[in-house]
Amino acid sequence: MLTLSEFTGSAPRRKALAILSLGLAALIWLPLVHLLFASASTSYSSSKGVPLKAREMAKSQLGQWKDASTQAAEVRAMRRSNAEWDFMGRTFLVLSLAEMCFRDPALNRDYLTVIDRIVEETLRAEREHGMHFFLMPYSRSAPFREQPERSLFIDGEIACMAAARRMVEENESHRTELKSRVRIIESRLRRSPFMAAESYPNECWLFDHAMALAAIRLSDHLEHEDHRALMRDWVARARKNLIHAPTGLLCSSYTTEAGPLDGPEGSSLWLSAHCLRLVDETLAREQYDLARRWLERHFCGFAWSREWPVSWKGPTDIDSGAVIPILDIGAGASGLAFVGASSFGDSALLQRLHTTVEFAAFPARKSGGLRYCASNPVGDSVILYSTVLGPMWNKVLQGPP
Amino acid sequence: MKAIYQILKSPSLSPAGFLVWTCAIVALFGVTHALGWRENATILTGTVPGDESPGAASLKAMAHMAAYFGATLVAPVFALASGIMVLLQRRLGSGRRPAQAAAGAEKDP
């Protein structure tokens, strides 16, 4: 029987024993923590059907779109920090819903209605307030080099949304929109000697180019057109001008003359690798493997992404989210790593990433819905997209070139 | 009551002290959770929640995250260490014997 004085302890070697006990306890506990938060891979990934986590996250996000006041509050909170997130949240939700329609055609009727509402509402906002409505304030800080001003960020993602909708079911108004955006993107890329189209004044982003090129490939599939020459030219220029020599990764932002503004950025690269699969599978795989090498970190069953490789010291911008020091955890980069890992079938990384968000992103489950308190609607829609992506890309990749 | 008081007053580096720490950390987490401060964790993505000021949201988020990670990472280590220390004291015979304790034969440094 343990006595009280043994329990409170006062032996001469007590301190040494205490420190030894703490060390042993940490050695036992810390490697096991991840087991409490690990979930079965079938809950977030499946080749057919909609995984449970996707259903839960979709329910939460659709709830926001169905309830105008909730949606307005969420959008207001995001726009206070970054108007881009309002726009990107729409894109990733539309892509997710389209992928879910592929996985379960019974969802088509409900989800196509929501997709149409999101796209129409986005086009209305763009029409009424101009493209700057979805851009950060510095979009007005200088004139765009290419006039009339347009942002590839806006054109590429609207094209992607319209294409995703049409991939599920043809729609004439989306067809007109998609064709118009593709024509604009193509002509802007062709006019630039470096095939660099601005998203902000004299600022071009890999993320936006990858998304826009993916939209063109989706459009080619739908329209039976062929932009392979355009894509080959872009890839050749990217390999020539945008590679960060120490890592081999593509730079995330650059000028219209392809002068690098930022080095390789986790919050750009993971998604870009996914989109580039529709453009050049070799480049996409190469970039994913390099991102795994230079940006991904894991420890005791958890994984995260750095925003920058060790060889590049860049400032964190609003897209990066917070970067947690010492471990160098980039919130934005880690969120988008889900998309990369899922797209490239990297089940080991995906498992660790899901374990990490269950542990550290404060999941909130309510009425069958799921959201992460440490995320925001755009972060949640990115994770949702990672749980369902696949069928749409596969359809294009397996279709006629 | 006397036993509880003695446990609360026990040295930090003792089995009882570890359990006191465990309870304190878990209680702190319970308080921040009950206050709903975890909603402020969205600050990690650079988003300021609701009508909070950025400063207040950051403070609440930091407090909640410290309490949460304390409760999931540190508190179980203290709880385990408490049990391990008791076992070690018995195994190594370094635990204070009741008679010694009663006589105050050993003093804490």
Side-chain angles (χ1 to χ4, degrees):
Chain A
M1 180 72 184
L2 186 68
T3 65
L4 189 58
S5 46
E6 274 181 312
F7 196 54
T8 54
S10 60
R13 287 180 291 173
R14 195 193 67 233
K15 278 189 179 171
L17 276 182
I19 290 165
L20 178 64
S21 304
L22 282 171
L24 286 172
L27 280 175
I28 294 168
W29 178 249
L30 296 180
L32 296 176
V33 176
H34 72 101
L35 297 175
L36 294 180
F37 299 93
S39 41
S41 63
T42 49
S43 69
Y44 56 78
S45 173
S46 71
S47 54
K48 283 182 183 168
V50 179
L52 175 66
K53 189 179 250 188
R55 287 187 187 275
E56 290 176 333
M57 296 194 79
K59 183 168 185 194
S60 180
Q61 289 174 52
L62 287 172
Q64 289 166 21
W65 271 93
K66 284 174 182 167
D67 177 4
S69 63
T70 311
Q71 193 222 349
E74 291 286 358
V75 165
R76 207 169 39 245
M78 280 201 299
R79 293 186 65 87
R80 273 170 75 188
S81 305
N82 186 348
E84 284 186 355
W85 290 344
D86 171 20
F87 184 67
M88 293 167 74
R90 298 165 193 239
T91 305
F92 283 106
L93 183 54
V94 165
L95 291 173
S96 305
L97 296 177
E99 293 279 19
M100 290 167 82
C101 288
F102 273 108
R103 288 169 173 271
D104 183 357
L107 298 169
N108 281 18
R109 180 190 281 191
D110 279 356
Y111 284 5
L112 285 176
T113 308
V114 179
I115 289 174
D116 289 344
R117 193 176 148 214
I118 295 172
V119 177
E120 279 157 22
E121 154 64 20
T122 305
L123 293 173
R124 185 197 56 76
E126 187 200 27
R127 222 172 21 247
E128 288 180 6
H129 307 288
M131 67 173 189
H132 296 280
F133 182 71
F134 290 121
L135 296 175
M136 286 189 272
Y138 77 93
S139 65
R140 298 179 194 271
S141 64
F144 278 68
R145 293 282 177 95
E146 174 85 8
Q147 293 292 334
E149 63 179 17
R150 292 200 76 90
S151 171
L152 185 68
F153 168 58
I154 306 290
D155 287 328
E157 294 200 17
I158 287 179
C160 241
M161 284 194 265
R165 197 281 181 220
R166 288 184 58 206
M167 289 289 289
V168 179
E169 191 181 284
E170 190 53 275
N171 174 290
E172 201 48 46
S173 71
H174 290 287
R175 183 172 187 224
T176 310
E177 192 63 54
L178 177 60
K179 288 179 82 165
S180 150
R181 301 280 171 169
V182 166
R183 215 169 31 247
I184 291 166
I185 294 166
E186 182 186 7
S187 70
R188 292 205 160 225
L189 287 175
R190 282 286 179 215
R191 271 204 298 277
S192 160
F194 298 94
M195 299 191 78
E198 294 162 287
S199 293
Y200 283 85
N202 198 23
E203 193 176 293
C204 311
W205 283 85
L206 171 69
F207 185 105
D208 300 333
H209 282 75
M211 184 77 94
L213 290 167
I216 292 177
R217 180 71 194 274
L218 292 169
S219 169
D220 281 358
H221 179 85
L222 291 159
E223 296 292 335
H224 308 293
E225 290 179 348
D226 186 353
H227 283 89
R228 277 179 295 175
L230 177 88
M231 292 179 191
R232 269 197 306 272
D233 291 348
W234 185 86
V235 168
R237 280 170 177 76
R239 283 191 181 282
K240 186 176 171 198
N241 301 312
L242 303 182
I243 297 288
H244 172 248
T247 59
L249 289 163
L250 290 164
C251 292
S252 56
S253 68
Y254 42 94
T255 64
T256 47
E257 283 79 37
L261 294 171
D262 277 316
E265 188 182 50
S267 53
S268 289
L269 271 161
W270 298 106
L271 187 278
S272 300
H274 165 60
C275 290
L276 288 173
R277 284 182 58 209
L278 295 187
V279 178
D280 182 317
E281 285 204 83
T282 310
L283 177 65
R285 167 51 78 177
E286 188 183 292
Q287 288 298 304
Y288 179 76
D289 290 342
L290 288 169
R292 256 305 225 126
R293 177 175 171 197
W294 295 107
L295 299 173
E296 186 259 333
R297 293 289 178 270
H298 59 266
F299 180 69
C300 282
F302 298 106
W304 61 92
S305 172
R306 299 169 58 97
E307 178 66 349
W308 307 104
V310 178
S311 54
W312 178 273
K313 293 280 175 241
T316 56
D317 54 28
I318 186 75
D319 296 331
S320 315
V323 172
I324 296 165
I326 302 170
L327 295 175
D328 266 328
I329 302 173
S334 299
L336 287 155
F338 280 86
V339 174
S342 176
S343 186
F344 288 87
D346 190 341
S347 53
L349 176 55
L350 207 51
Q351 169 77 61
R352 292 190 197 112
L353 288 167
H354 277 282
T355 304
T356 306
V357 287
E358 290 303 314
F359 168 55
F362 307 105
R365 289 183 165 83
K366 190 178 167 189
S367 311
L370 166 65
R371 66 188 178 85
Y372 291 98
C373 295
S375 180
N376 59 15
V378 67
D380 281 350
S381 60
V382 166
I383 296 176
L384 167 62
Y385 179 53
S386 77
T387 60
V388 292
L389 65 82
M392 194 156 51
W393 260 223
N394 289 341
K395 191 171 179 184
V396 174
L397 290 169
Q398 288 159 13
Chain B
M1 275 307 284
K2 192 180 168 192
I4 293 172
Y5 180 74
Q6 193 177 346
I7 287 171
L8 288 176
K9 293 288 285 180
S10 58
S12 294
L13 295 177
S14 67
F18 289 156
L19 284 189
V20 170
W21 275 110
T22 303
C23 294
I25 293 167
V26 171
L28 185 64
F29 168 62
V31 169
T32 63
H33 185 81
L35 289 170
W37 286 4
R38 76 174 186 162
E39 295 295 332
N40 293 279
T42 188
I43 204 83
L44 279 176
T45 60
T47 310
V48 182
D51 298 323
E52 292 278 6
S53 71
S58 301
L59 203 67
K60 289 175 182 177
M62 291 304 152
H64 180 71
M65 286 190 282
Y68 170 75
F69 290 118
T72 51
L73 296 176
V74 182
V77 168
F78 276 130
L80 268 175
S82 172
I84 292 171
M85 193 171 170
V86 168
L87 289 176
L88 286 176
Q89 281 176 333
R90 291 201 159 173
R91 180 57 67 111
L92 300 174
S94 60
R96 174 198 277 190
R97 286 189 295 278
Q100 285 177 313
E106 295 176 17
K107 301 280 184 202
D108 283 342

